[in-house]
Amino acid sequence: MSEMSKIVRTIAAIVFPFIMIYGLYVIAHGHLTPGGGFQGGAIVASACALLLVAYGSMWTMRRIGEKRLSVFESIGAFFFIALALLGLFFGAVFFNNFLAGSSFLFGDIPMVGSNTGDMNTGGVLPLMNFAVGIKVVAGLFVIILVMAYASNHMEKKRGEKQG
Amino acid sequence: MSRRDMFAVVFFSIVCMFFIFSALLMHPFGSPDETDMDDMIIKNTQRETGANNGVTSVVFDYRGFDTLGEATILFTAVAGVVLLFRRMKET
Amino acid sequence: MLLEYAHIVIPIFIVATSIFAVLLRDLLGAAVAVAAMSLLLSLEFYILQAPDVAIAEAGVGACLTTAILIIAIKATKRMEEEI
């Protein structure tokens, strides 16, 4: 995909931070409001897809290679499984929520019933949300990036053959 | 009418009948048959996991293995797509 | 009362956009019809009180799937051939 006109590029650059902030909000408040790692990751990947459409796949590939995105996805998967294994060590079972109730990071217990919500609750759930968020952003964006780059490359080769 | 059309009509009516009967047997909205598991999770989720959002606590805590399988599926899909299109990039 | 009507109207629109997606010869229009179907489905999920699924459907179905379909159409042909 080649880059689009200057109007589209400017509007995409203005809109991009707002979509990004909304996606990061959905990831970070996954244990309080509807949403979570997968939903917020899909929104952030949509913002990156907007940049890809506006600026072209060559520009995006130069900024973020697919190797770096693969590394990010592996980091997300590693942290997810590592948190589950830490539950096995500190608690009793795999996927044990060992941070809930301890006076450590994210360790508070909220009042039962409807309450105003506190960021410092949830045990390992916010950390797992972040791990899955990184994984989903990298995974969904690398699919679109690699497909767009290959399609652009193929089109260029077809043009060379004809001309 | 050929034999293939007859088969299609019979199959379509059977599927339609199945859908109509299941629509007639549907429960009213918000009142499922078995409520033991739902009640247990709704009552205990804030005390046990400390999260206000019950859905996230089910996805990441009570049913964590499902999320692990979902992550594996995403990983496999990405690996397949990158394997397929990276060769296209080089050649 | 309004919600009762919404439960009737939105599924009819979902079925109509799905029929458009199947019938259209222009594949780009069919991709846009799929995106509209996905957005209406996310609205239906929202009024059925499942906001988690609605956010996931709006993000994946209406944006990323459409992007993948349009990239695939760009790499191949736009119009469907007559059989």
Side-chain angles (χ1 to χ4, degrees):
Chain A
M1 238 178 244
S2 51
E3 73 177 11
M4 296 180 83
S5 69
K6 197 162 188 174
I7 301 170
V8 177
R9 272 183 285 153
T10 312
I11 296 296
I14 291 170
V15 168
F16 173 72
F18 292 102
I19 307 176
M20 201 79 173
I21 285 171
Y22 178 60
L24 290 176
Y25 158 78
V26 169
I27 294 177
H29 288 233
H31 57 296
L32 298 176
T33 54
F38 187 82
Q39 287 88 357
I43 292 170
V44 175
S46 310
C48 297
L50 174 69
L51 273 196
L52 170 68
V53 169
Y55 282 83
S57 57
M58 291 290 184
W59 186 87
T60 319
M61 202 60 144
R62 240 185 292 127
R63 295 294 163 103
I64 328 164
E66 92 246 22
K67 284 210 179 102
R68 208 178 294 169
L69 283 170
S70 302
V71 168
F72 270 118
E73 201 202 352
S74 303
I75 286 172
F78 173 75
F79 271 109
F80 186 60
I81 297 177
L83 279 168
L85 278 176
L86 279 178
L88 187 61
F89 281 122
F90 287 107
V93 289
F94 203 51
F95 277 108
N96 188 18
N97 197 341
F98 62 95
L99 279 177
S102 71
S103 56
F104 196 58
L105 189 68
F106 299 122
D108 290 350
I109 296 290
M111 192 179 66
V112 174
S114 64
N115 52 5
T116 52
D118 184 7
M119 276 301 283
N120 197 21
T121 57
V124 294
L125 296 183
L127 301 172
M128 277 186 176
N129 268 327
F130 270 108
V132 172
I134 292 171
K135 186 172 162 48
V136 170
V137 170
L140 290 181
F141 184 52
V142 77
I143 291 177
I144 297 182
L145 178 62
V146 170
M147 279 185 78
Y149 192 83
S151 125
N152 190 18
H153 195 78
M154 232 171 65
E155 205 169 79
K156 206 176 278 175
K157 226 171 61 177
R158 210 184 288 155
E160 277 172 13
K161 217 174 268 177
Q162 278 170 1
Chain B
M1 205 191 240
S2 69
R3 203 156 167 194
R4 196 157 158 269
D5 290 347
M6 288 283 270
F7 179 73
V9 166
V10 169
F11 188 73
F12 185 71
S13 2
I14 287 172
V15 170
C16 269
M17 238 152 61
F18 178 74
F19 276 123
I20 288 168
F21 276 122
S22 39
L24 289 178
L25 287 176
M26 210 157 64
H27 295 281
F29 183 64
S31 57
D33 237 1
E34 305 276 338
T35 58
D36 300 351
M37 203 68 208
D38 315 353
D39 290 343
M40 197 281 280
I41 286 174
I42 289 168
K43 209 162 59 188
N44 291 337
T45 179
Q46 279 181 316
R47 195 164 44 76
E48 282 179 358
T49 67
N52 275 337
N53 187 355
V55 179
T56 303
S57 69
V58 168
V59 167
F60 285 106
D61 199 332
Y62 291 106
R63 300 281 183 269
F65 274 106
D66 282 354
T67 312
L68 188 60
E70 181 198 310
T72 316
I73 287 170
L74 185 65
F75 189 82
T76 315
V78 169
V81 170
V82 172
L83 180 74
L84 186 64
F85 283 97
R86 189 190 269 163
R87 283 197 53 183
M88 215 182 228
K89 196 178 100 183
E90 281 165 2
T91 54
Chain C
M1 199 62 195
L2 200 65
L3 213 59
E4 306 267 319
Y5 286 125
H7 278 304
I8 297 168
V9 171
I10 292 176
I12 290 174
F13 274 119
I14 291 175
V15 171
T17 45
S18 319
I19 289 170
F20 265 115
V22 173
L23 287 185
L24 277 177
R25 286 256 171 247
D26 188 356
L27 290 178
L28 205 57
V32 174
V34 169
M37 192 272 286
S38 201
L39 207 60
L40 284 168
L41 191 62
S42 107
L43 192 62
E44 173 71 23
F45 276 131
Y46 182 70
I47 63 174
L48 282 173
Q49 299 173 16
D52 291 88
V53 191
I55 296 173
E57 181 70 35
V60 174
C63 181
L64 295 174
T65 309
T66 314
I68 290 175
L69 284 176
I70 288 176
I71 288 168
I73 289 167
K74 195 162 167 287
T76 54
K77 265 184 273 179
R78 180 168 169 182
M79 301 303 284
E80 196 177 353
E81 285 174 8
E82 301 282 336
I83 305 165

